[in-house]
Amino acid sequence: MKKISVFFVAAASMLLASCGAVSLNDNASSTAAEAGNAAAASLGAVASEVLTNMATNAVNGSSVGNMLQSVLGLDKVTKANLIGTWTYSQPGCAFTSEKLLAQAGGEVIASSIKSKLQSTYQKVGINSSSTSITFNQDGTFAAKIAGKSFSGNYTFNESTYEVTLQGLLLSFHCYAKKNSDGIGLLFEAKKLLTLLQTAAALSGNSTLNSISDLSKNYDGLRIGFDYKK
């Protein structure tokens, strides 16, 4: 918190100083000087207001909350958090560390990735009525992805947050993430691609190329589904 405060104080000082640094030559009229000073004061007020709003957002936790949802492992997940029936709400996206999130471009990039995934998911039929998952207390699960049902047993590693979904013929590994309004199940891009190809019978379909491309462009990226009850 001290680092945040120092940053905003320094930034405010720099912006206000630059806004106020209006120099006039010896021939400038007093009217021009007054107009220049008024403009500088106005810009300074705008700069101050912007920085105040940024500082308020940082202090009240909105930035921290966004980061918690974009980095795996920052918010502890337990098996109890998984139990229940969950309905797909939106594409999920997170990075394996704060450093990798920052290197990728932060929250702006995370939002952009979700937007790209949304378009792909719509094309393969993933929506709130066709995609869901139920985790039972006894270690069994039942899921639908793009309308295709599969079920089996699951295990959850509370140290790594890894979820293993073991069906009759296939098994998938993903990572659980706690959201403010539910949970996320996130995969390595290649594994998600395999899952979607299996569920939607779209092997080789160009619609899914964007998922493969994402894995090449961003280190430590995990993508999948956000769910809520």
Side-chain angles (χ1 to χ4, degrees):
M1 187 65 71
K2 289 183 179 179
K3 291 182 179 180
I4 293 175
S5 301
V6 171
F7 166 77
F8 285 115
V9 170
S13 299
M14 293 173 65
L15 278 174
L16 292 175
S18 64
C19 290
V22 178
S23 61
L24 299 174
N25 60 35
D26 293 338
N27 296 323
S29 67
S30 59
T31 301
E34 290 174 1
N37 289 335
S42 177
L43 288 172
V46 171
S48 178
E49 182 178 356
V50 169
L51 286 169
T52 298
N53 290 337
M54 289 172 64
T56 300
N57 287 337
V59 172
N60 69 20
S62 63
S63 296
V64 174
N66 288 338
M67 185 176 68
L68 283 173
Q69 296 194 44
S70 295
V71 179
L72 284 171
L74 289 189
D75 202 355
K76 182 177 177 58
V77 184
T78 66
K79 182 178 178 179
N81 295 139
L82 302 181
I83 303 303
T85 296
W86 303 90
T87 300
Y88 168 81
S89 60
Q90 65 176 1
C93 165
F95 286 82
T96 54
S97 73
E98 297 171 65
K99 180 179 179 181
L100 290 173
L101 172 64
Q103 288 176 347
E107 289 299 325
V108 174
I109 291 299
S111 297
S112 175
I113 290 171
K114 287 185 178 183
S115 178
K116 292 177 181 179
L117 288 173
Q118 179 69 24
S119 175
T120 298
Y121 287 1
Q122 288 176 343
K123 291 177 181 178
V124 300
I126 293 174
N127 53 55
S128 59
S129 61
S130 69
T131 303
S132 62
I133 190 166
T134 298
F135 289 106
N136 298 311
Q137 188 70 49
D138 64 0
T140 59
F141 77 92
K144 282 197 309 180
I145 297 180
K148 185 179 178 84
S149 299
F150 68 106
S151 60
N153 298 305
Y154 75 93
T155 58
F156 177 62
N157 186 322
E158 293 198 6
S159 297
T160 62
Y161 308 128
E162 183 178 16
V163 180
T164 300
L165 304 173
Q166 180 66 58
L168 182 62
L169 300 175
L170 297 170
S171 66
F172 296 99
H173 299 273
C174 58
Y175 297 88
K177 176 174 65 72
K178 188 188 296 184
N179 296 329
S180 60
D181 60 350
I183 63 170
L185 295 179
L186 307 178
F187 304 75
E188 294 178 8
K190 291 180 180 179
K191 292 181 179 179
L192 177 62
L193 183 60
T194 299
L195 175 61
L196 293 181
Q197 288 173 338
T198 301
L202 290 172
S203 180
N205 192 293
S206 60
T207 300
L208 302 179
N209 285 346
S210 60
I211 292 176
S212 179
D213 292 340
L214 286 173
S215 66
K216 299 174 184 177
N217 295 334
Y218 302 106
D219 291 333
L221 176 65
R222 300 291 183 266
I223 53 180
F225 316 110
D226 282 345
Y227 297 88
K228 59 184 179 181
K229 288 185 175 179

